[in-house]
Amino acid sequence: MASQAATSFNGNLKKALAGLRRIDLDGLRWKVFDAKGQVLGRLASQISTVIQGKDKPTYAPNRDDGDMCIVLNAKDVCVTGRKLTNKVYHWHTGYIGHLKQRTLKDQMAKDPTEVIRKAVLRMLPRNKLRDDRDRKLRIFVGGEHPFGDRPLEPYLMPPRQVREMRPRTRRAMVRAQKKAEQQQQDVNDPRRGKRKDRPEVNA
């Protein structure tokens, strides 16, 4: 198995297969998540549900019944709003004054797999099962992975429900559209909107 995976996978094979011997793979499903175009938080919530086994009727909080999760195209994950520049990761090296920080944009450029890993791990409960669940999460930057010989099942993300626009936002959007149409009409008709030059009348 390892030799077949090594021939088809061009990434870090040692890191990809690390810790598999400590996992009881009997009866586990292999779920494949495609992160391309997915929102980070929504994707992480679905992964955390599968990795804990909450999608099974046999779920118990004291048992690790979760399935293997393979995440592909981590570099193409999306965020909403201004999180790309406003979201900051903090950590301390242990030395005095060595409080480090890094924005989400810089972390995506350095290692996008850690972005998804941190999002998923922070949704898991802080107990003894957390490390075992972390080993079941395999994240890859691109679309290649060394688990082609496993019975893979692509995970279908639920449709995103967009809430109805608030009245104030809708009114602001209508005003912006009307203003843009008015400006377009003024550009097309240069005579419109200009006042006629009237001769000055001296009393």
Side-chain angles (χ1 to χ4, degrees), residues 5 44-45 109 143 155 181 194 203:
S45 64
Y155 186 84
E181 292 175 358
K194 292 185 177 180

Side-chain angles (χ1 to χ4, degrees), residues 33-49:
F33 294 81
D34 189 4
K36 188 173 185 178
Q38 297 292 337
V39 181
L40 175 62
R42 298 178 184 274
L43 175 66
S45 64
Q46 297 296 322
I47 296 174
S48 64
T49 300

Side-chain angles (χ1 to χ4, degrees), residues 91-133:
W91 72 96
H92 201 282
T93 62
Y95 290 92
I96 298 176
H98 282 236
L99 180 62
K100 304 294 184 179
Q101 65 180 17
R102 184 181 296 151
T103 61
L104 177 60
K105 184 177 181 180
D106 296 337
Q107 183 63 41
M108 287 292 293
K110 184 177 178 63
D111 187 8
T113 61
E114 282 299 315
V115 174
I116 300 179
R117 186 177 301 278
K118 287 179 183 296
V120 173
L121 288 184
R122 291 173 181 180
M123 293 184 182
L124 299 179
R126 276 73 170 173
N127 53 21
K128 295 181 179 180
L129 301 177
R130 194 181 188 194
D131 293 338
D132 297 335
R133 289 166 176 167

